[in-house]
Amino acid sequence: MAVKLNQLLKFPVKYLPAITALITLFSLPVKAATFLVTDRTTFGGNDEVDWVSLGKVFQFNPITNEISGLLPNSFSATSEGGLGLDVNIAPSDNPLITKPFVFQTSPFPGIRTNFANGDYVLFGGIDVTGFGPNASFPTDGNGGPFTITFDKPVFGAGTQIAVDDRFTFDAFVSAYDINDNLLGTFSAQGTSSLLLDNSALFLGVRSDEANISRLVFSSSFPEQGLAINKVSIIGVPEPTYTLAILIFGVSGGVLRLRQRS
C-alpha cells in the first residue's frame, strides 16, 4: 500500500498538511494504559501455556500414601507459540505442605474444582495430612504468591484462579515491566466450589503496548492452596505503523478520485 514518489508529487499541495497531520497523530507515542480483564473470551489471547506441557501430573497412592509428580518451587515452561517463561511459587514455611504440582480436575473420585472438567491445574501445595481420614477443614496449603516472568514483554496475560477450601476470596494480580516498575495492581472477588462448571474467576492484565514482563498472583488466604489453570497470553502485536500507512494510502486514493472528478 506504499505510495510512490511520483504519485505523491501529484497530490494537491493544499491536502498535504491534512495528510501529514493524520500520520503524525497516529504515529505519536501514547502512554500505555494497563487494565484488568475478568473474561477470558473477551481477553483476546493469541498464545497460551497449558500446564500439562510440563510433563508431570500429580499422583497419590492411597494404599502406600506415596505422592509423585511434584514440581520444584521454581521452574520454566514454554507457551504453544514458543514463548519462554519462568514460574516461581513462594515456598511455604510449613514442612507438612507438599511442593507444587499439576493435577487434572475431574469428577469423583478425582479432584473436583470449579475449573472446567479436564483442565490441568497448577496448585501451590497442600498439607499431606489432608489426604488422611482426619483432615481438617479448611486444609492448609501454599497460597504463593505465584510469579510468572516472560522471556519477552507481552501485551497481556491472565488465568483462572481458585483457592482450596474457600468458597469466596479476593484475588490479586500485579503487573511489572522489564525494569521492575509496577504497571498496576488489580483485584476481584472469586469463588471456589466442586461443580466443575468453569466458574473460576479469570484474572487477566492487558496493556496498550508490549511492556508486561512479570505477573504476580495471590489471594486473601495465603494459608490455603492457590490454583491456576492455563495462562492466556497476548504476545504478537499489530505493527504500529500499519495504521499510518493505511491512512496515507486511503487518503491518496480519495485525493486521486477528487482529481479525476
Side-chain angles (χ1 to χ4, degrees):
M1 297 183 67
V3 180
K4 295 181 179 179
L5 179 60
N6 61 343
Q7 292 174 312
L8 179 59
L9 293 174
K10 293 179 183 180
F11 290 165
V13 175
K14 64 178 181 179
Y15 292 121
L16 290 180
I19 296 172
T20 303
L22 284 172
I23 295 173
T24 302
L25 175 63
F26 286 97
S27 301
L28 287 174
V30 178
K31 186 177 181 180
T34 306
F35 52 94
L36 176 69
V37 181
T38 56
D39 183 352
R40 194 192 295 267
T41 60
T42 61
F43 180 69
N46 51 25
D47 195 5
E48 69 177 29
V49 176
D50 195 326
W51 301 116
V52 69
S53 64
L54 298 176
K56 285 187 176 183
V57 177
F58 175 82
Q59 299 289 335
F60 173 68
N61 187 326
I63 298 176
T64 63
N65 288 330
E66 291 182 347
I67 296 173
S68 61
L70 299 181
L71 296 166
N73 284 85
S74 297
F75 57 88
S76 298
T78 304
S79 73
E80 292 182 356
L83 176 66
L85 52 91
D86 295 322
V87 180
N88 179 268
I89 299 174
S92 170
D93 57 5
N94 183 346
L96 294 178
I97 292 178
T98 68
K99 291 287 189 179
F101 56 84
V102 172
F103 68 88
Q104 186 176 29
T105 187
S106 60
F108 183 83
I111 302 175
R112 292 177 293 167
T113 68
N114 63 331
F115 296 104
N117 185 23
D119 274 4
Y120 286 91
V121 177
L122 177 62
F123 188 64
I126 190 170
D127 188 328
V128 292
T129 61
F131 297 108
N134 299 316
S136 60
F137 184 90
T139 303
D140 288 343
N142 184 4
F146 288 18
T147 300
I148 300 176
T149 304
F150 304 99
D151 283 357
K152 296 180 181 180
V154 299
F155 276 73
T159 183
Q160 286 173 268
I161 190 168
V163 176
D164 186 36
D165 287 352
R166 290 293 180 179
F167 302 116
T168 60
F169 59 91
D170 291 324
F172 308 95
V173 59
S174 296
Y176 297 84
D177 69 11
I178 197 168
N179 296 314
D180 208 32
N181 296 311
L182 178 64
L183 299 174
T185 295
F186 309 93
S187 65
Q189 189 174 78
T191 61
S192 299
S193 72
L194 307 178
L195 298 178
L196 295 170
D197 58 357
N198 199 34
S199 64
L201 170 69
F202 180 78
L203 206 60
V205 179
R206 288 195 59 171
S207 176
D208 292 340
E209 64 181 59
N211 60 353
I212 299 174
S213 289
R214 178 163 58 95
L215 291 179
V216 181
F217 295 93
S218 60
S219 86
S220 52
F221 294 100
E223 69 278 10
Q224 262 75 61
L226 188 68
I228 61 174
N229 65 354
K230 63 183 179 182
V231 178
S232 294
I233 302 168
I234 307 173
V236 181
E238 180 75 13
T240 55
Y241 55 81
T242 300
L243 184 57
I245 294 174
L246 178 61
I247 292 172
F248 200 106
V250 171
S251 299
V254 171
L255 291 176
R256 283 194 294 273
L257 288 175
R258 288 182 177 179
Q259 285 178 319
R260 292 173 183 173
S261 61

